[in-house]
Amino acid sequence: MPSAWPGGSVRGLRARGGVGVDLAWQDAVLTSARLTFTDPGPHTLTVPTGGRLLRVTDSEGRPVAVDSTPLPGGFVRAAFTAHGTSVHHVRPRRR
């Protein structure tokens, strides 16, 4: 997140593949994201989490299998599969 925006939120963004994105962050670290997928299949995210791994749940709150990899600079790369048209919630795991 830009240093001029230490905290905030945004709704209605579009990512590659037509993914709808709503984000919230505090202290330049992701606090939550809502992702709306129109196509099933594998997806990969790279987000600033302060080094915390990600927890992904479906719209019913059920955990989704995710392969999280810590990256330099407090980022995490997470890979998971979306099934059909779906909404997923992404949050850093609690320490």
Side-chain angles (χ1 to χ4, degrees):
M1 303 299 152
S3 59
W5 300 345
S9 64
V10 64
R11 296 182 64 187
L13 298 177
R14 286 277 178 218
R16 285 183 221 148
V19 177
V21 179
D22 300 337
L23 298 172
W25 65 93
Q26 185 62 47
D27 299 323
V29 172
L30 178 78
T31 57
S32 67
R34 181 179 186 266
L35 306 174
T36 305
F37 297 97
T38 55
D39 293 323
H43 295 276
T44 302
L45 309 171
T46 301
V47 295
T49 64
R52 294 165 53 192
L53 297 181
L54 294 175
R55 181 173 61 100
V56 178
T57 57
D58 65 15
S59 60
E60 304 292 321
R62 295 178 295 234
V64 172
V66 61
D67 180 19
S68 290
T69 305
L71 300 173
F75 285 79
V76 168
R77 179 172 297 130
F80 62 95
T81 300
H83 300 282
T85 300
S86 58
V87 174
H88 287 68
H89 300 274
V90 179
R91 291 183 172 82
R93 290 185 183 171
R94 294 184 179 142
R95 291 184 191 247

